Amino acid sequence: MAILSMREMLQQARSGAYAVGAFNILDYNSMRAVVDAAAELAAPVIIQTSVKTVLFWGYEPVVQWYRQLAGSVSVPIAIHLDHCKDLEVIRNCIKHGWTSVMIDASSKPFAENLALTQQVVKMAGPKNITVEAEMGAIVGVEDDIHVREQDAHLANVEEAERFCGQVSLDCFAPAIGTAHGVYKGEPKIAFDRLEKIAERTGLPLALHGGTGLSDEVFRRCISLGCAKVNISTQLKYAHIGGFVDYYHNHNKEYNPLKNLAAQYEKLKEGIIKDIQLFGSAGKA
Ligand code: 13P
């Protein structure tokens, strides 16, 4: 089975100055597109699940797809729970076989964020499950977490260093000016802050809000220490667009399997481009 801890995956990526794509899947078809794209490019990859997606399908079906798909290829594939505030969901994911979880207590004050993160590390550590935590507020909507533009704030360098010094994390997500969803204008990325946080924490950083960033922004963030790139909105658009476009162009056929095949191709095409851009092709 091609399962490798996200810890090793991200440490290798950080030292090799490339990033592993973490793609938010929606169902079996999108998970298959992620796995097939990674296998085709010999790339490590992270299957990312939002809380909503997990609760929609149930823990066991999602983890079964993962075992079946990851088990059929030789590239390393981790399964990671994205932004989660609910310790019960985290506990269930750990129990069912997720290899990695994210605790998002970033809306809480420093001490509370740290205490909750430490609690999750305590739950995950003995099972060798990796943990990501967040600091600052990333604008936009991800799952049920809404952050308005006026409430967004970047991670503080000193606080980030202090936080990461007090809990054993595998990946750290500082808010650096990216946003979840579709960008309205040119995002203002705090590259200097990103560089300092990467240096002072020494951790592989997660770049959230990947959809819509330019190639140049991706390259620069990766060169400064982002070893995990989160992509979600792109998959949502490909999921619906791939299916609907096929229907519009072939509406006499009325064969849903063909729509699903078109959806799969559209998803995979975008994922392949991302993996190539992030530099993880051939790194498996
Ligand atoms: P996008 O939806 O902007 O790609 O962001 C994804 C993300 O950061 C998930 O945590």
Side-chain angles (χ1 to χ4, degrees):
M1 176 162 296
I3 290 175
L4 179 84
S5 159
M6 197 175 84
R7 183 176 307 126
E8 280 169 60
M9 234 186 231
L10 297 187
Q11 280 171 356
Q12 284 168 16
R14 171 106 203 240
S15 57
Y18 63 90
V20 179
F23 299 96
N24 286 51
I25 60 97
L26 296 142
D27 60 358
Y28 180 80
N29 211 22
S30 45
M31 194 190 283
R32 194 166 68 101
V34 174
V35 171
D36 290 352
E40 217 167 284
L41 295 174
V45 83
I46 298 161
I47 289 167
Q48 201 154 252
T49 56
S50 71
V51 175
K52 265 193 189 158
T53 301
V54 176
L55 298 181
F56 183 87
W57 295 106
Y59 297 92
E60 206 44 42
V62 175
V63 93
Q64 289 300 341
W65 304 335
Y66 166 64
R67 291 207 179 102
Q68 186 265 316
L69 288 166
S72 66
V73 295
S74 60
V75 293
I77 303 184
I79 183 164
H80 177 76
L81 175 68
D82 199 17
H83 296 276
C84 186
K85 295 171 161 190
D86 185 339
L87 293 194
E88 206 39 46
V89 174
I90 293 181
R91 201 168 283 117
N92 274 321
C93 283
I94 291 174
K95 188 172 107 194
H96 282 85
W98 263 250
T99 63
S100 186
V101 293
M102 175 180 188
I103 166 73
D104 181 357
S106 59
S107 62
K108 311 259 185 222
F110 181 96
E112 234 178 300
N113 186 2
L114 180 63
L116 280 164
T117 304
Q118 285 167 332
Q119 207 178 327
V120 169
V121 168
K122 219 165 156 184
M123 277 158 50
K127 300 202 163 183
N128 203 26
I129 310 284
T130 50
V131 178
E132 173 181 342
E134 177 173 322
M135 178 173 280
I138 298 171
V139 75
V141 181
E142 186 55 51
D143 223 9
D144 275 338
I145 303 175
H146 299 241
V147 178
R148 294 176 310 170
E149 219 158 313
Q150 61 267 40
D151 296 330
H153 59 92
L154 303 183
N156 172 285
V157 178
E158 281 72 32
E159 280 187 357
E161 185 180 10
R162 211 148 37 87
F163 188 92
C164 295
Q166 291 178 71
V167 62
S168 177
L169 291 176
D170 303 290
C171 182
F172 183 59
I176 52 152
T178 57
H180 293 129
V182 178
Y183 287 98
K184 290 191 198 98
E186 190 66 31
K188 271 205 208 114
I189 315 293
F191 293 108
D192 52 338
R193 200 179 284 244
L194 165 62
E195 186 172 20
K196 284 189 191 128
I197 293 174
E199 269 170 23
R200 299 234 208 137
T201 64
L203 284 171
L205 303 183
L207 181 64
H208 282 248
T211 304
L213 293 177
S214 69
D215 292 6
E216 195 201 324
V217 168
F218 277 127
R219 287 200 192 97
R220 199 156 161 208
C221 290
I222 293 169
S223 76
L224 295 176
C226 289
K228 172 176 181 271
V229 177
N230 285 12
I231 304 282
S232 174
T233 304
Q234 173 192 308
L235 273 78
K236 290 181 189 164
Y237 277 72
H239 198 265
I240 294 176
F243 193 97
V244 168
D245 289 351
Y246 188 86
Y247 174 72
H248 282 312
N249 295 325
H250 307 83
N251 63 1
K252 299 254 175 340
E253 273 182 19
Y254 221 76
N255 179 351
L257 292 176
K258 291 202 172 170
N259 295 59
L260 290 173
Q263 175 186 64
Y264 165 86
E265 290 304 333
K266 183 94 186 155
L267 284 157
K268 194 170 143 202
E269 186 186 303
I271 296 161
I272 283 184
K273 276 197 194 130
D274 293 336
I275 291 175
Q276 284 168 334
L277 178 62
F278 304 158
S280 53
K283 305 289 189 199

